[in-house]
Amino acid sequence: MTITSRSRPFKAVLVSTYELGRQPFGLASPAAWLQRAGIDVVQADVSIEDFPGKEVRDADLVAFYVPMHTATRLAVPLASRARELNANAHLCFYGLYAPVNESFLRSLGAQTILGGEFENGLLQLCNRLRGASVTDGDQEEPVVSLARQHFHPPDRTGLPDLSRYARLFTGDGHLKTVGYTEASRGCKHLCRHCPVVPVYGGRFRIVQPEIVLDDVAQQVASGAGHITFGDPDFFNGIGHALPLVEALHGRFPDVTYDVTVKIEHLLQYRRYLPRLKDTGCALITTAVESLDNHVLTLLDKGHTVEDFFEVVDLFKEHGLVMNPTFIPFTPWITLEGYARFLDTLAGLDLIEHVSPVQLTIRLLIPGGSKLLDLAEVRGLAQPFAPEALSHPWAHPDARLDRLQLELTGLVTRLQNRDAGRREIFRGIRAYAHRVADQPAPEADLDAVSARQSLPRLTEPWYC
């Protein structure tokens, strides 16, 4: 227990390491809460700017925002650096990946771990630490809070300009500045591989519509012509989501947006798809994950391959653009199955829809993953590896692991040469068929109708 006295304002440094090229809501939102309480807040997005060493030296609290696996791995060495710069600062990790990595993060010196709805927890932590005489003891705030919060408009004044983040390529040769906000967190569903599930357990929480619209308005005023909604599933609360985008469109008719929606919900709420199109939805990300029904069952995705095919047809019917995501490399994929996966995408004319990185993603088994409920996963998963923040696993057929590594390198090399999606796909497909000792059918690649490039974000989606 340490007792200290302060004659200056309490200072908190909030650090984001990576969030898919987005200006981080996870800094701007809690910053507003803390500043309203008279706390001196520094927001540092080190994906854009240098690590704020000077501010960390003067900080009472250094809190790392870890909403995803990549962000957490990048935060680990920076936490050690913060400790070296200021051994007296209280070290906190907050966000989706904080509670599932609690033991490891505490071994790095983290004193507070906050997951779920973290804004109020950060405020309570600061109030506990600050004052003329404060006690810096064991964590009192809940590690995971799902309490309903009334949000404040995020304070983005301390963040880099929106022009420095990912942009939307509109498909007609133009680029739009992109803003980012969240209308809800958590998810009603229990997909086994999803990192949201261990924290939210099938529940979700909304951000009040007026707060979302105020946040959009301030980003439009800063130059945003497109808004990304970061909700894990925008249709978890359809009565919240649809009025929100209709209000957005009524207020900013030239602003486009994108959302993420499950295949299951795209079918359940198919009658609302025209309303998304009419209100300016430029693309919809959907986590397809696999084109194998056995794998989809194991992941508990709630949809089938046939459901995905139906959604593809619905999108074509309504003129919507799909941004499908996949986890093709699982313990259950075969060389022939991966080749079929690529052939199916080509046959559906989805080559331009799929970011090349999605063709190389390998299943991640993070701490607390519901995948470990499956005996066949427990049988192949190795003990949790802190350096990887996951349970390592090896494919029963070592050729699949080599293929995944080789294709990842191939995609990187081709992207560095500014190759387009079709050229990269052709290279991946030829290589995969050669490894599978199968001829790669080329005719369907050349037969699909030439089209303008589709709308896409310049930073691809992955965890």
Side-chain angles (χ1 to χ4, degrees), residues 307-319 322 348:
D307 291 335
F308 168 60
F309 294 161
E310 188 173 355
V311 169
V312 171
D313 289 340
L314 281 172
F315 273 48
K316 290 177 180 177
E317 176 185 344
H318 295 296
M322 179 187 292
L348 293 171

Side-chain angles (χ1 to χ4, degrees), residues 70-339:
T70 302
T72 312
R73 294 190 67 174
L74 292 171
V76 168
L78 294 181
S80 298
R81 186 175 174 192
R83 268 279 172 257
E84 293 170 0
L85 290 169
N86 185 348
N88 294 320
H90 190 96
L91 185 61
C92 170
F93 286 83
Y94 69 99
L96 196 63
Y97 270 74
V100 297
N101 293 296
E102 180 181 3
S103 296
F104 172 63
L105 296 176
R106 290 198 188 277
S107 76
L108 301 177
Q111 294 147 288
T112 298
I113 301 293
L114 300 171
E117 305 299 283
F118 50 74
E119 283 86 353
N120 193 52
L122 278 169
L123 178 59
Q124 290 177 2
L125 171 62
C126 290
N127 285 335
R128 174 164 65 88
L129 297 177
R130 70 174 172 168
S133 179
V134 300
T135 301
D136 183 359
D138 294 336
Q139 177 169 343
E140 298 176 6
E141 300 73 30
V143 171
V144 173
S145 172
L146 299 184
R148 289 176 171 82
Q149 301 183 138
H150 194 285
F151 286 78
H152 304 298
D155 189 319
R156 299 178 177 274
T157 56
L159 290 168
D161 190 81
L162 285 177
S163 63
R164 301 181 66 185
Y165 290 89
R167 291 181 287 177
L168 178 81
F169 176 71
T170 61
D172 57 4
H174 295 94
L175 290 168
K176 280 187 172 184
T177 298
V178 175
Y180 173 82
T181 195
E182 296 175 3
S184 67
R185 292 179 180 149
C187 185
K188 290 181 176 179
H189 300 271
L190 299 171
C191 305
R192 284 195 179 97
H193 63 301
C194 179
V196 176
V197 174
V199 177
Y200 281 87
R203 288 158 290 183
F204 86 111
R205 297 290 181 260
I206 69 165
V207 181
Q208 289 74 31
E210 64 274 14
I211 300 298
V212 180
L213 292 171
D214 284 349
D215 190 28
V216 169
Q218 68 173 325
Q219 293 181 82
V220 171
S222 296
H226 178 89
I227 298 294
T228 290
F229 285 95
D231 310 42
D233 189 330
F234 197 65
F235 277 5
N236 266 314
I238 194 78
H240 174 60
L242 284 180
L244 193 53
V245 294
E246 288 170 344
L248 185 156
H249 185 65
R251 201 165 161 188
F252 305 108
D254 296 326
V255 173
T256 55
Y257 65 91
D258 69 274
V259 296
T260 298
V261 184
K262 282 172 63 69
I263 292 290
E264 179 180 353
H265 281 164
L266 291 169
L267 291 176
Q268 181 181 354
Y269 299 116
R270 67 181 73 197
R271 65 189 180 279
Y272 297 122
L273 295 181
R275 290 168 72 177
L276 293 183
K277 176 69 174 178
D278 293 343
T279 53
C281 185
L283 70 155
I284 299 173
T285 298
T286 188
V288 184
E289 313 301 38
S290 177
L291 299 185
D292 182 313
N293 279 329
H294 175 61
V295 175
L296 291 173
T297 298
L298 291 170
L299 299 181
D300 201 10
K301 278 299 300 175
H303 72 258
T304 65
V305 176
E306 293 71 27
D307 291 335
F308 168 60
F309 294 161
E310 188 173 355
V311 169
V312 171
D313 289 340
L314 281 172
F315 273 48
K316 290 177 180 177
E317 176 185 344
H318 295 296
L320 289 164
V321 176
M322 179 187 292
N323 176 39
T325 65
F326 296 97
I327 309 173
F329 288 93
T330 69
W332 310 286
I333 191 71
T334 64
L335 288 175
E336 296 75 18
Y338 184 73

Side-chain angles (χ1 to χ4, degrees), residues 168-172 282 320-322 349-354 421 451-457:
L168 178 81
F169 176 71
T170 61
D172 57 4
L320 289 164
V321 176
M322 179 187 292
D349 197 10
L350 290 177
I351 295 170
E352 292 291 341
H353 293 71
V354 182
R421 288 186 174 183
R451 65 150 74 86
Q452 270 187 326
S453 295
L454 298 169
R456 66 188 62 155
L457 294 165

